Amino acid sequence: QVQLVESGGGLVQPGGSLRLSCAASGSILSINHMAWYRQAPGNQRELVAGITVGGSTNYADFVKGRFTISRDNANTMYLQMNSLKPEDTAVYYCKTSLAPGTVWGPWKDYWGQGTQVTVSS
């Protein structure tokens, strides 16, 4: 019943910007953590940035100073990407750790289907 939908990907020139969104919907009791991952062709999926329910953030070294992760009060997460480089080209995935339903239980991970980001001149 829980769904994650990413949006905002596309084609951008080097040095440009994009903002990705991830909307979580369905029966959600509580969200513990949200994060962005990415996977370039032929490479392993890697963590880009994460944010806790308390607002604490962490970033991979390769995006520090360029990307900003944020969250609003409607279970939506954002990734503002500035100064994009060709090596940022990848499918970007939203992951949410949450307690589903109406009865408290273990945290469960949910993944979106991904959105393509291509940085090319």
Side-chain angles (χ1 to χ4, degrees), residues 5-76:
V5 179
E6 302 102 331
S7 62
L11 175 64
V12 65
Q13 295 185 171
S17 298
L18 286 173
R19 191 173 88 150
L20 306 183
S21 300
C22 172
S25 63
S27 182
I28 301 172
L29 181 62
S30 181
I31 293 179
N32 175 250
H33 185 265
M34 303 183 77
W36 288 100
Y37 288 74
R38 72 185 187 187
Q39 188 166 18
N43 293 341
Q44 188 174 350
R45 190 171 299 186
E46 61 186 353
L47 176 68
V48 176
I51 186 167
T52 69
V53 66
S56 298
T57 59
N58 64 288
Y59 297 91
D61 287 341
F62 54 81
V63 302
K64 284 184 177 178
R66 300 189 297 123
F67 292 8
T68 303
I69 189 171
S70 62
R71 188 191 72 248
D72 65 16
N73 294 320
N75 293 335
T76 301

